[in-house]
């Protein structure tokens, strides 16, 4: 249910989206030749497409040895898809970024977005792009780069290697019971590592995830659109 809203004047207009996915460009494999992309782009122009959408995996740096060129591959494809008069939109794919903040920032710059999920309208159709790779979260720093996580790792190493009295002297805020302190450190460290893994682990990213704040954004976004025709796009089903 939603409150009454005045519908868009374009509500019944035909909309054509030209969608391409899993281009998987990687020079060390069979490079996606520009001529092949041009066939798709000509088809989009000939059909009077209102928008071009890449459903993700422009690059394929995890399929073979492409890690060093993943960001360059993504830009190659993005530039090609933007070479026509038709607006181009990009969905984040799990092959498009490495497990680094630099790669994450590069994707945002390449796609021209401030976040990995967004929406737009085309002639009475509301199009939603979801991030099922990072879940809508920014790329996390590694444990070594996060002060709280690195500190917990150091405390866990210390409690295993030095006398507990010496440990308590070094960490006066610690519990007076060895087993309780060790269990607390391990529990807190596991929580930190789980949160980090959600954006940095290839295995987790492959499974598809949507964070709670992205769901809240989606609810608000759908409630506010006047368009009754909605298309939702994502890398994972």
């Amino acid at each position: 249910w939603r409150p009454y809203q005045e519908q868009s004047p374009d509500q019944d207009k035909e909309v054509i989206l030209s969608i391409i996915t899993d281009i998987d460009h990687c020079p060390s494999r069979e490079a996606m030749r520009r001529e092949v992309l041009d066939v798709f782009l000509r088809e989009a122009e000939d059909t009077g497409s209102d928008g071009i959408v890449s459903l993700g995996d422009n690059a394929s740096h995890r399929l073979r040895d492409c890690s060093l060129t993943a960001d360059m591959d993504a830009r190659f494809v993005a530039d090609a898809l933007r070479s026509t008069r038709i607006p181009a939109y990009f969905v984040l794919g799990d092959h498009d970024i490495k497990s680094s903040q630099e790669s994450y920032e590069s994707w945002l710059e390449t796609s021209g977005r401030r976040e990995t999920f967004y929406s737009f309208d085309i002639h009475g159709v509301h199009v939603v792009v979801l991030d099922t790779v990072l879940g809508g979260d920014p790329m996390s720093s590694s444990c070594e780069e996060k002060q709280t996580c690195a500190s917990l790792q150091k405390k866990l190493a210390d409690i295993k290697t030095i006398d507990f009295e010496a440990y308590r002297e070094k960490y006066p805020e610690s519990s007076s019971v060895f087993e309780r302190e060790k269990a607390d450190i391990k529990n807190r460290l596991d929580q930190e590592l789980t949160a980090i893994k959600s954006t940095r682990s290839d295995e987790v990213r492959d499974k598809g995830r949507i964070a709670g704040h992205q769901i809240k954004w989606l609810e608000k976004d759908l409630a506010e659109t006047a368009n009754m025709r909605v298309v939702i796009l994502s890398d994972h089903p």
Side-chain angles (χ1 to χ4, degrees):
W1 177 88
R2 74 173 80 187
Y4 171 78
Q5 293 172 311
E6 183 178 347
Q7 292 189 11
S8 164
D10 291 327
Q11 194 62 46
D12 297 322
K13 184 174 181 179
E14 180 184 63
V15 173
I16 299 174
L17 291 178
S18 297
I19 297 177
I20 189 169
T21 188
D22 292 80
I23 295 170
D24 285 329
H25 177 60
C26 170
S28 67
R29 297 176 71 224
E30 295 129 14
M32 168 54 72
R33 291 178 294 110
R34 177 58 192 266
E35 292 85 353
V36 178
L37 281 175
D38 284 342
V39 172
F40 167 75
L41 295 173
R42 282 197 299 272
E43 179 75 13
E45 288 187 314
D46 291 346
T47 56
S49 180
D50 298 292
I52 290 171
V53 180
S54 166
L55 271 186
D57 291 352
N58 288 340
S60 63
H61 67 95
R62 287 198 295 107
L63 299 185
R64 291 199 192 170
D65 186 18
C66 299
S67 296
L68 297 178
T69 61
D71 301 331
M72 179 170 50
D73 294 340
R75 283 194 291 273
F76 168 85
V77 175
D79 288 344
L81 297 183
R82 288 196 184 106
S83 64
T84 75
R85 60 170 183 79
I86 307 170
Y89 306 92
F90 300 90
V91 179
L92 177 64
D94 57 286
H95 291 166
D96 290 330
I97 55 173
K98 297 182 288 183
S99 298
S100 72
Q101 290 176 307
E102 292 80 8
S103 186
Y104 167 73
E105 294 291 341
S106 178
W107 188 90
L108 291 177
E109 182 182 351
T110 298
S111 63
R113 297 288 166 181
R114 289 183 295 178
E115 292 184 292
T116 51
F117 55 95
Y118 57 95
S119 64
F120 56 94
D121 296 296
I122 299 182
H123 304 315
V125 173
H126 188 63
V127 183
V128 177
V129 172
L130 295 180
D131 171 9
T132 58
V133 177
L134 303 177
D137 292 330
M139 175 68 70
S140 173
S141 302
S142 66
C143 185
E144 292 71 24
E145 295 169 319
K146 296 185 74 171
Q147 185 176 357
T148 55
C149 189
S151 175
L152 287 168
Q153 280 189 326
K154 180 68 169 63
K155 291 179 76 172
L156 186 61
D158 283 346
I159 202 171
K160 290 179 177 179
T161 55
I162 65 177
D163 181 82
F164 190 53
E165 288 304 315
Y167 173 90
R168 288 190 64 204
E169 193 172 318
K170 186 174 182 179
Y171 303 105
E173 76 283 1
S174 62
S175 169
S176 60
V177 180
F178 173 82
E179 291 299 337
R180 184 184 303 161
E181 174 69 7
K182 186 176 179 181
D184 178 60
I185 295 171
K186 290 186 69 174
N187 182 55
R188 288 161 58 196
L189 181 58
D190 285 345
Q191 290 178 355
E192 287 275 346
L193 294 174
T194 297
I196 290 171
K197 186 182 286 188
S198 67
T199 61
R200 294 183 72 88
S201 166
D202 291 338
E203 278 187 17
V204 176
R205 296 206 305 246
D206 276 344
K207 295 177 181 177
R209 181 179 72 93
I210 297 182
H213 67 92
Q214 188 177 183
I215 291 292
K216 290 181 179 178
W217 169 86
L218 178 61
E219 290 175 341
K220 185 174 183 290
D221 180 77
L222 294 179
E224 291 177 349
T225 182
N227 296 319
M228 300 302 290
R229 295 184 294 173
V230 176
V231 175
I232 297 181
L233 304 171
S234 65
D235 182 49
H236 300 83

